[in-house]
Amino acid sequence: MMITENKTILKDAVVKGDEPVMIIRNVYKSFENNHVLVDFNLDLYKGENVVVLGKSGSGKSVLIKCIVGLLKPDKGTIEVFGKNIPELNEAELDQVIARVGFLFQSNALYDSMTVRENLEFPLRRHWIKVTQEEVNTMVMNALEDVGLEHTVDMMPIELSGGMRKRIALARTLILKPDIILYDEPTTGLDPITGKEIIKLMVDIQKKYNTSSLIISHDMNCVRMASDRIVILLDGKCYANGTYAELKKNEDPKVKQFFE
Amino acid sequence: MAKATPLNSFLDQAGSLSKFSFRFLWQWFKPRYEGSEFLRQCYVIGYNSLPLIGLTGFIMGLVLTMQLRPSMIEYGVESQLPAIVGISVVREIGPVITALIFAGKIGSSIGAELGSMKVTEQIDAMQVSGTNPFKYLVVSRVLAATLMLPILVILSDAISLYGSYIGVNIRGNTSFNLFWTQVFDNLAFYDVLPAFIKTFFFGFAVGIIGCFKGYNSNKGTEGVGRSANSAVVVSSIMIFILDLLAVQITDVLGFN
């Protein structure tokens, strides 16, 4: 069990592989007087599922947006595959981000495009040289992974919430990313559909040996999907450990998440 | 922090809009060029606006002719009706009314579309898909609006004059050839060119304001509605301001 005041956690982390694919060090991010991330540290290892657990507004989404370059941290380094994200130019960032999938909280499916076009979009935009036949195969494979092959020519508006989430996941998978970032994957879904999505996430992680960083406050998701949990509190990495370890913890600030 | 007075808020918006416009100019020249999205937007913005612009243009020409006729008869210059309508439509009414209709249709749709994309994280999703959303969404739409409005104005002018021809013949009897001869005999180069040039600026204003309002939308679905509404209001006002500037400039250059 590990309760930490910041960075000592990292070497004690429960890890699946030896190779860190993401190293976050001393990251600060503020919006005017609101200090969202304060000296935040985190390592993500190959094949590992890490859940970042925190209250609403604790800065979880800000963290994940800093990782893909949507926001720039005020200070600190975010190394993904050895490249420091805040220092990369547009082309370099594009190369790194092509290996990182991002499942948005709101799914972010393009309303004006069919499911097929939604899935083709990242392939075409990342300058990946593939024939139309290969594109079709990749689209169908990604849809097969989420069990929704029949929706290929439908519009996002015609799909249910759970289906939209699965399609968004298929779009994330199409580039066969090494890291997948999930921003509140079960928000807005009923408990049964939420569990199906979590199971899908775990299956995908096993199938492709991806590393996942999951932002959540849904304890079902945390319990089912996590190899390791990081508690984000007051902008810092407050605690770190497995579900079982943290559940037994007596610290009231940790306990409040497991009650 | 400065107190949020209406003047501060206006200056803040004006500054942000100027910055946004400069960003557009900068991004326009930078590769990668979004040719297919630009062509798609030309279709959506230009072709899809044609029925509305055509209908309003036709009614505008017809009504203008019927309204002018009694005054023209009173002054004994009824025969000059095609010429007066032609000059009015080409120089002023055609460009301004078409631009206002365009602002209502396209400004609101761009504002709402981008606003909705912003609040549902679609713009962020584009960015993590290796796309520069500003180039893909803003540059293509602003360029399409800038280039499509002049074409729509030319078509609207033509349809409007056809409406006028019908208006003339409701109570009179003027041949098709005579009507058009009278229109073109009284139109000069300096009637057409300044009116044509200003439509590019009108189109740019509608496109950039629609994109600015949508791209900076916030506060969820309420913000989307506000963006669409404010895109129409601000671009309509901007059309009148640009028209005022255009008339001053053409006056100084001796085109009036």
Side-chain angles (χ1 to χ4, degrees), chain A:
Chain A
M1 186 183 322
M2 283 149 283
I3 298 298
T4 67
E5 280 299 329
N6 221 345
K7 34 192 158 173
T8 53
I9 48 148
L10 298 168
K11 60 181 177 203
D12 300 326
V14 180
V15 295
K16 278 199 164 179
D18 294 333
E19 190 189 333
V21 287
M22 188 194 301
I23 304 168
I24 300 174
R25 288 286 181 276
N26 315 113
V27 166
Y28 289 76
K29 180 71 188 171
S30 301
F31 297 95
E32 294 179 355
N33 292 326
N34 182 16
H35 305 295
V36 180
L37 297 175
V38 183
D39 199 13
F40 184 84
N41 295 274
L42 175 78
D43 281 5
L44 178 68
Y45 288 83
K46 189 160 175 53
E48 187 186 24
N49 277 352
V50 171
V51 173
V52 177
L53 181 61
K55 293 178 191 169
S56 297
S58 61
K60 304 186 297 293
S61 295
V62 171
L63 168 70
I64 212 167
K65 285 181 178 176
C66 285
I67 294 170
V68 289
L70 288 172
L71 291 173
K72 203 167 182 172
D74 301 331
K75 231 168 36 170
T77 58
I78 299 172
E79 284 188 16
V80 179
F81 308 117
K83 302 271 172 68
N84 186 17
I85 296 291
E87 286 176 356
L88 300 181
N89 63 33
E90 205 176 309
E92 292 166 336
L93 182 65
D94 186 23
Q95 280 186 340
V96 177
I97 293 307
R99 297 175 64 190
V100 180
F102 194 137
L103 182 70
F104 285 86
Q105 186 175 349
S106 60
N107 305 323
L109 294 175
Y110 308 122
D111 297 329
S112 58
M113 299 182 194
T114 62
V115 167
R116 180 193 299 280
E117 288 164 341
N118 263 284
L119 267 66
E120 286 178 358
F121 193 83
L123 285 174
R124 301 198 187 288
R125 307 307 299 184
H126 279 298
W127 298 93
I128 290 163
K129 289 194 176 86
V130 277
T131 62
Q132 186 55 46
E133 206 173 304
E134 287 168 320
V135 169
N136 291 342
T137 310
M138 290 166 91
V139 167
M140 291 318 291
N141 285 346
L143 286 174
E144 201 182 305
D145 281 339
V146 298
L148 287 176
E149 300 97 307
H150 64 284
T151 62
V152 67
D153 292 317
M154 290 169 83
M155 299 300 285
I157 194 79
E158 298 172 83
L159 306 172
S160 68
M163 287 163 98
R164 287 166 73 98
K165 188 65 83 182
R166 282 165 181 262
I167 297 296
L169 188 53
R171 187 176 65 182
T172 307
L173 288 176
I174 199 149
L175 291 174
K176 300 277 179 288
D178 296 307
I179 300 175
I180 305 182
L181 310 174
Y182 298 92
D183 190 2
E184 307 275 10
T186 54
T187 297
L189 300 176
D190 62 85
I192 296 165
T193 313
K195 275 182 187 167
E196 284 172 8
I197 295 293
I198 300 163
K199 189 176 174 302
L200 196 58
M201 287 160 52
V202 174
D203 291 347
I204 283 163
Q205 192 273 331
K206 281 181 190 155
K207 186 173 177 185
Y208 297 110
N209 193 31
T210 53
S211 311
S212 308
L213 189 69
I214 304 160
I215 300 291
S216 187
H217 53 218
D218 172 4
M219 290 315 288
N220 262 334
C221 175
V222 174
R223 186 173 46 81
M224 288 170 69
S226 66
D227 295 322
R228 181 160 62 97
I229 301 165
V230 166
I231 295 182
L232 175 60
L233 210 61
D234 303 324
K236 293 180 181 181
C237 181
Y238 183 79
N240 176 55
T242 62
Y243 183 85
E245 286 170 342
L246 293 178
K247 197 169 188 312
K248 281 186 244 160
N249 194 277
E250 292 301 320
D251 185 316
K253 283 185 176 175
V254 174
K255 216 173 174 181
Q256 63 180 337
F257 290 102
F258 294 87
E259 281 170 349

Side-chain angles (χ1 to χ4, degrees), chain A residues 65 68-70 90 94 97 102 104-106 108-111 113 121-122 124-127 171, chain B residues 1 30 32 34 40 113 116-117 119-132 136:
Chain A
K65 285 181 178 176
V68 289
L70 288 172
E90 205 176 309
D94 186 23
I97 293 307
F102 194 137
F104 285 86
Q105 186 175 349
S106 60
L109 294 175
Y110 308 122
D111 297 329
M113 299 182 194
F121 193 83
R124 301 198 187 288
R125 307 307 299 184
H126 279 298
W127 298 93
R171 187 176 65 182
Chain B
M1 215 164 82
K30 260 180 69 180
R32 137 191 210 179
E34 303 288 356
R40 196 179 78 84
E113 186 188 9
S116 151
M117 289 183 81
V119 300
T120 56
E121 298 179 302
Q122 290 177 50
I123 293 180
D124 286 346
M126 276 194 175
Q127 202 162 332
V128 296
S129 296
T131 302
N132 177 339
Y136 189 84

Side-chain angles (χ1 to χ4, degrees), chain B residues 98-212:
Chain B
T98 307
L100 290 173
I101 303 282
F102 189 77
K105 184 178 189 297
I106 299 303
S108 62
S109 94
I110 292 177
E113 186 188 9
L114 295 198
S116 151
M117 289 183 81
K118 176 81 188 292
V119 300
T120 56
E121 298 179 302
Q122 290 177 50
I123 293 180
D124 286 346
M126 276 194 175
Q127 202 162 332
V128 296
S129 296
T131 302
N132 177 339
F134 194 92
K135 277 193 82 75
Y136 189 84
L137 298 171
V138 176
V139 174
S140 58
R141 279 164 177 75
V142 176
L143 280 181
T146 308
L147 293 177
M148 288 301 105
L149 182 59
I151 295 171
L152 287 171
V153 168
I154 292 171
L155 292 168
S156 166
D157 285 357
I159 294 167
S160 187
L161 290 173
Y162 187 73
S164 172
Y165 164 72
I166 291 173
V168 166
N169 279 284
I170 287 175
R171 294 209 177 169
N173 189 11
T174 305
S175 75
F176 192 73
N177 279 346
L178 179 61
F179 177 86
W180 287 101
T181 306
Q182 276 196 314
V183 169
F184 284 114
D185 276 355
N186 289 283
L187 275 178
F189 175 72
Y190 52 77
D191 290 321
V192 178
L193 191 69
F196 182 62
I197 290 172
K198 73 182 174 187
T199 55
F200 285 94
F201 290 92
F202 291 169
F204 176 78
V206 172
I208 200 84
I209 292 166
C211 287
F212 171 73

